[in-house]
Amino acid sequence: MITLAVDCMGGDHGPRVTLAACRHFLDQHADARLLLVGKPESMADWSHERADILPASEVVGMDDTVEVALRKKKDSSMRVAIQQVKDGRADAAVSAGNTGALMAIARYLLKTLDGIDRPAIAALMPNGKGQATTVLDLGANVDCTAEHLLQFAVMGSALVSVLKNDNTPSVGLLNIGEEVIKGNDVIKRAGELLRSAGQSGDLNFYGNVEGNDIFKGTTEIVVCDGFVGNVALKATEGLAFMIVGFLREEFSRSIFTKIAAICAYPVLSSLKKRMDYRRYNGAALLGLRGLVFKSHGSADEFAFEQALNRAYDAARNNLLDRVKVRIARAAPLLVAATGELGASAAGTPAP
Amino acid sequence: MITLAVDCMGGDHGPRVTLAACRHFLDQHADARLLLVGKPESMADWSHERADILPASEVVGMDDTVEVALRKKKDSSMRVAIQQVKDGRADAAVSAGNTGALMAIARYLLKTLDGIDRPAIAALMPNGKGQATTVLDLGANVDCTAEHLLQFAVMGSALVSVLKNDNTPSVGLLNIGEEVIKGNDVIKRAGELLRSAGQSGDLNFYGNVEGNDIFKGTTEIVVCDGFVGNVALKATEGLAFMIVGFLREEFSRSIFTKIAAICAYPVLSSLKKRMDYRRYNGAALLGLRGLVFKSHGSADEFAFEQALNRAYDAARNNLLDRVKVRIARAAPLLVAATGELGASAAGTPAP
């Protein structure tokens, strides 16, 4: 039996969407159980034989600062959900709430794995090979060192190797050109660390990739700092949204274009499905001593259910243990990088 | 009469594409003259009454380092073209060659304008309002200070105010959230500088924008460092390319989808046109004492002609003088920012 703790209050729509998604999810997975966390009055008339309701008196707002979420709202639905993972009552937690708050609370309650300084957010983006590219970090870390990027590569490799059953997924370093001389100092240094990890067989490092390689599917994993990753994610969401809006507008322009839309319907619905970001909803917070998944705040019922599915798959495949093993295996690499980096940055000798 | 100096050897296709684009361009603009720079043997059988051929014995390769381009190839077509602008024989130069080399040579020969530390690359990206958002920097500067971002905002405002005849175009600062607390230290500091410039009326600063706002058209100008801008540009190009490829594949799948494609043709060709990055080809190198435009390296004839058109429009509208005036007007702002920044960074008093 897989148990997920769900923050039912998070996201733009709250229980109206999350509870509906939960019911559908339970109907699909007979071996799943849910701990539904939220304000009792918002969930009063809801019940399911494989769901328990856990009351929480507070809700972290989308505009709440990390400090407020962490220090003032100690009985928030988000925090109570993550606490279930910490206490071993749930295998994973899922929330559509404020990303910064979720990351801070998860990090505070669960702590990071040995060898990992900072958790990262990893999500899937569709690619031209009909598969999906795993990109991290997507916004947890706005300033990264080369060493953090190496850690992201190790964590991303662990995630993909577990979920895709491929032991040596390829990793690309997001840059502004393929050549090793490109990029700023952090990126160049990260390239060196990743190349040496590749040479020692700890990672399958492809080299530098550019923004378009995410969609070409050049590598299975693309590593970048959270600022760059977040901008790339949102820019491409913005473009996809613009194109869908444009098609809708053009196809409804006249009776002729409406007929054209009917003829083209199978192709358009297939395009819509392929471009549908909802299918890829559910980002993993990697590097923690527990599984936490983040849904897009604007998720509808279908999208939120995908985030639940992703958490379920991760728990079922023992993602956490397998990530731990992989990180432990890469430990000498991570320590060496820290040492070297410390030495080059602060002038102290490497351990 | 507007005179453009064209590096005919640059780009993936060289004279085959550039010369064809030049002929079409000349046919469209009776008041234009071209100085065509390249290896004489590559342009031997070409002539036009309003074009002169200027020989250059070398070509900057796409893989050449900045050092090679700047110090070893002093008779490159790229350099000779920019020299024409410096010597007042051309109003603007256009090249599809190596971006790093173009920027370095342009900066070396032309120098930056007073108050500008670093030139930036500004290009147009289509938005959902049926217009285009000007985004800068797109790759000239991989590490930027807050002060550089302020300079980009001033230069971008000058560009848009000239080309769109709108004196107060709005500026957004690319960030990972709208709230002022978002982002890394450089971005937060840039936000402060831009807000104070907005309050003093020197800029029409909107506030933070996110990646999707580029395509929403929330602001007319979006400012970011060159690393982030380059990744966002290439990621969205990659997505657009993926969608076009997907539509082609789906519509050619069977006889039924082929018929659907015929019905939907007017809409699809309108979408294709709207998503056609070639229409937006021709990025401005801003902040120099001369006009230089960069075409995409893979530009075909149509795309390269757009870059020529963009250079022509800029020269015809006295972009350079008007940018100079605008930067001079913002000089106290830029100096104050440098002073404050210098003070906070180095502990020296502001001037």
Side-chain angles (χ1 to χ4, degrees):
Chain A
M1 185 67 86
I2 301 292
T3 305
L4 304 181
V6 184
D7 166 14
C8 294
M9 309 304 290
D12 300 346
H13 312 296
R16 184 172 58 79
V17 157
T18 55
L19 290 178
C22 285
R23 183 174 304 281
H24 199 258
F25 169 82
L26 286 168
D27 291 345
Q28 301 295 312
H29 301 281
D31 66 340
R33 218 178 116 248
L34 295 179
L35 303 176
L36 304 173
V37 190
K39 292 194 171 181
E41 64 271 26
S42 304
M43 306 156 74
D45 51 353
W46 204 92
S47 74
H48 190 287
E49 53 179 11
R50 282 181 279 115
D52 292 317
I53 292 190
L54 285 184
S57 61
E58 291 167 306
V59 175
V60 174
M62 288 311 232
D63 297 328
D64 281 343
T65 62
V66 166
E67 283 66 35
V68 167
L70 206 53
R71 309 205 192 289
K72 309 263 165 166
K73 295 188 171 176
K74 296 200 174 169
D75 194 38
S76 71
S77 54
M78 188 185 274
R79 183 162 181 159
V80 173
I82 296 172
Q83 188 70 45
Q84 305 312 305
V85 176
K86 167 144 178 102
D87 296 344
R89 284 190 293 269
D91 300 297
V94 180
S95 174
N98 184 325
T99 309
L102 183 68
M103 183 53 92
I105 294 173
R107 196 173 166 180
Y108 176 74
L109 290 181
L110 301 174
K111 313 295 179 210
T112 52
L113 291 166
D114 289 333
I116 301 297
D117 295 329
R118 301 202 201 168
I121 299 176
L124 295 171
M125 292 169 84
N127 67 39
K129 292 182 173 166
Q131 300 173 337
T133 307
T134 298
V135 185
L136 73 165
D137 174 40
L138 288 175
N141 306 285
V142 292
D143 270 310
C144 289
T145 63
E147 182 202 10
H148 294 140
L149 292 168
L150 173 63
Q151 293 175 12
F152 297 168
V154 171
M155 294 194 284
S157 296
L159 175 71
V160 173
S161 68
V162 168
L163 295 182
K164 288 175 89 174
N165 213 5
D166 165 2
N167 260 323
T168 54
S170 54
V171 177
L173 174 65
L174 193 57
N175 202 339
I176 61 168
E178 286 177 21
E179 307 82 1
V180 292
I181 55 154
K182 294 276 183 173
N184 56 31
D185 291 341
V186 170
I187 292 292
K188 282 188 238 178
R189 169 82 184 135
E192 283 170 26
L193 293 177
L194 288 163
R195 263 189 303 282
S196 82
Q199 279 152 10
S200 65
D202 291 301
L203 277 177
N204 177 8
F205 181 54
Y206 169 88
N208 288 335
V209 294
E210 300 185 74
N212 52 342
D213 288 301
I214 296 171
F215 296 99
K216 273 192 196 165
T218 307
T219 56
E220 283 161 282
I221 298 151
V222 170
V223 170
C224 56
D225 81 39
F227 193 96
V228 171
N230 189 279
V231 167
L233 175 72
K234 286 183 183 157
T236 51
E237 279 180 359
L239 175 62
F241 189 82
M242 180 179 97
I243 291 170
V244 168
F246 175 79
L247 281 174
R248 187 174 297 129
E249 192 185 304
E250 285 294 314
F251 273 119
S252 59
R253 197 174 284 281
S254 71
I255 181 73
F256 300 107
T257 58
K258 281 178 188 162
I259 292 168
I262 295 168
C263 296
Y265 181 77
V267 170
L268 294 177
S269 72
S270 164
L271 173 70
K272 199 178 158 202
K273 195 175 162 195
R274 181 132 161 195
M275 280 177 57
D276 190 352
Y277 269 84
R278 299 181 309 162
R279 281 174 65 209
Y280 302 95
N281 189 39
L285 269 56
L286 289 176
L288 298 162
R289 296 172 192 268
L291 294 177
V292 181
F293 282 76
K294 163 77 177 88
S295 160
H296 206 295
S298 65
D300 63 8
E301 189 182 324
F302 173 78
F304 194 76
E305 192 185 339
Q306 305 317 309
L308 295 172
N309 284 332
R310 213 135 271 151
Y312 169 86
D313 286 341
R316 214 157 159 262
N317 286 295
N318 290 317
L319 176 64
L320 191 62
D321 289 340
R322 293 166 77 176
V323 167
K324 269 187 211 162
V325 167
R326 185 120 187 172
I327 288 171
R329 220 171 61 203
L333 187 75
L334 297 172
V335 170
T338 320
E340 272 187 64
L341 205 80
S344 67
T348 53
Chain B
M1 184 66 87
I2 301 292
T3 305
L4 305 181
V6 184
D7 166 14
C8 294
M9 309 303 290
D12 300 347
H13 311 297
R16 185 171 58 79
V17 157
T18 55
L19 290 179
C22 284
R23 184 175 302 282
H24 200 258
F25 170 81
L26 285 168
D27 291 345
Q28 300 295 311
H29 301 283
D31 66 339
R33 219 179 117 246
L34 296 180
L35 302 176
L36 305 173
V37 190
K39 292 193 172 181
E41 64 270 27
S42 304
M43 307 156 73
D45 51 352
W46 204 92
S47 74
H48 190 287
E49 52 178 9
R50 281 181 281 115
D52 292 317
I53 293 189
L54 285 183
S57 61
E58 290 168 308
V59 175
V60 174
M62 288 311 232
D63 297 329
D64 281 342
T65 61
V66 166
E67 283 66 34
V68 167
L70 207 52
R71 308 206 194 288
K72 308 262 167 166
K73 295 188 171 175
K74 295 199 175 169
D75 194 39
S76 71
S77 54
M78 188 185 273
R79 182 159 180 163
V80 173
I82 296 173
Q83 187 70 45
Q84 305 313 306
V85 176
K86 166 141 177 105
D87 296 344
R89 284 189 294 269
D91 300 298
V94 180
S95 175
N98 184 324
T99 310
L102 183 68
M103 182 55 93
I105 293 174
R107 198 172 165 180
Y108 176 74
L109 291 182
L110 301 174
K111 314 296 179 212
T112 53
L113 291 167
D114 289 334
I116 301 299
D117 294 330
R118 299 202 202 170
I121 299 176
L124 295 171
M125 292 169 84
N127 68 38
K129 290 183 174 167
Q131 300 173 334
T133 307
T134 298
V135 185
L136 72 165
D137 174 41
L138 288 175
N141 307 285
V142 292
D143 270 311
C144 289
T145 63
E147 180 203 12
H148 294 141
L149 292 168
L150 173 63
Q151 293 174 12
F152 298 168
V154 170
M155 293 193 286
S157 296
L159 175 71
V160 173
S161 67
V162 168
L163 295 182
K164 288 175 90 175
N165 214 4
D166 165 2
N167 260 323
T168 54
S170 54
V171 177
L173 175 64
L174 193 58
N175 202 338
I176 61 168
E178 286 177 23
E179 307 81 1
V180 293
I181 55 155
K182 293 277 183 172
N184 56 31
D185 291 340
V186 170
I187 292 292
K188 281 188 237 178
R189 168 82 185 136
E192 283 170 26
L193 292 178
L194 287 164
R195 262 190 303 285
S196 81
Q199 279 153 10
S200 65
D202 291 301
L203 278 176
N204 177 8
F205 182 54
Y206 170 87
N208 288 335
V209 294
E210 299 184 75
N212 51 343
D213 288 300
I214 296 171
F215 296 99
K216 272 191 196 166
T218 307
T219 56
E220 283 161 281
I221 298 151
V222 170
V223 170
C224 56
D225 81 39
F227 193 96
V228 171
N230 189 279
V231 167
L233 175 72
K234 287 184 182 155
T236 51
E237 279 180 359
L239 175 62
F241 189 82
M242 181 179 97
I243 291 170
V244 168
F246 175 78
L247 282 173
R248 186 173 297 132
E249 191 185 307
E250 284 295 313
F251 274 120
S252 58
R253 196 176 284 283
S254 70
I255 182 73
F256 300 107
T257 58
K258 282 178 188 162
I259 293 169
I262 294 167
C263 296
Y265 181 77
V267 170
L268 293 176
S269 71
S270 163
L271 173 71
K272 199 179 158 203
K273 194 176 163 195
R274 182 132 159 193
M275 280 175 59
D276 189 353
Y277 268 85
R278 299 182 308 162
R279 281 175 63 211
Y280 301 95
N281 188 39
L285 269 55
L286 289 176
L288 297 163
R289 297 173 191 267
L291 294 177
V292 180
F293 282 77
K294 164 78 176 90
S295 159
H296 207 296
S298 66
D300 63 8
E301 190 183 321
F302 173 78
F304 194 76
E305 192 185 339
Q306 304 317 309
L308 295 173
N309 283 332
R310 212 135 272 150
Y312 170 85
D313 285 342
R316 215 157 158 262
N317 287 294
N318 289 318
L319 177 64
L320 190 64
D321 288 339
R322 292 164 79 175
V323 167
K324 270 188 211 163
V325 167
R326 186 119 186 171
I327 288 172
R329 219 171 63 204
L333 187 74
L334 297 172
V335 170
T338 320
E340 272 187 65
L341 207 81
S344 67
T348 52

